[in-house]
Amino acid sequence: AGLGWAVKLKSGRPFKGREALLAQAAAPLPKRLAGFTVAERDIMLFGRETIYRDGERVGWLSSGGFGHTVGQAIGYGYVRHPAGVDEGFLRGGNYTLEVATERVPATLHLGPLYDPAGARVKS
């Protein structure tokens, strides 16, 4: 987040605003992109479904569809939390998605859903 793409904090060179960027880089991110799958075959995800973590609303899907290579409905969305979202926070919860006013169990995925090692791309 912020201007990290435009500056080299590791260089050690002083510049105006360096301390503010270092503080921002050390703080946890307020949101993080995550993938979700739904095992029920008759559920379709289209995007905008609400994401619940342990019963608390934490975000919504930005996109969804059927993943033919994984054989399940898949969706991607940002999980948000004011105190910050790290991997421990993400993995420490149980997730449901609200689909057409019904809450459906969902599985969290932090990596790619298909070919996580990149073997197909490298072949």
Side-chain angles (χ1 to χ4, degrees):
L3 294 174
W5 60 271
V7 297
K8 293 182 180 178
L9 293 174
K10 293 179 184 176
S11 72
R13 289 189 179 158
F15 59 87
K16 194 172 204 166
R18 178 179 177 76
E19 290 75 24
L21 289 177
L22 285 170
Q24 185 182 50
L29 295 172
K31 65 181 181 179
R32 184 158 169 196
L33 183 67
F36 296 91
T37 56
V38 175
E40 294 182 40
R41 298 276 300 169
D42 59 340
I43 298 292
M44 290 299 301
L45 301 176
F46 297 101
R48 305 303 293 171
E49 290 84 2
T50 303
I51 303 168
Y52 290 90
R53 178 187 178 271
D54 296 333
E56 177 185 347
R57 185 174 44 189
V58 293
W60 57 90
L61 296 183
S62 56
S63 63
F66 189 79
H68 293 279
T69 56
V70 295
Q72 293 179 304
I74 62 173
Y76 283 92
Y78 284 95
V79 174
R80 294 163 165 77
H81 192 260
V85 179
D86 60 9
E87 191 168 331
F89 176 83
L90 289 169
R91 294 194 187 278
N94 292 312
Y95 292 90
T96 57
L97 301 174
E98 187 173 329
V99 181
T101 70
E102 179 184 340
R103 292 202 188 170
V104 178
T107 303
L108 171 78
H109 300 275
L110 298 180
L113 291 170
Y114 181 68
D115 192 24
R120 289 180 51 93
V121 173
K122 295 173 188 172
S123 63

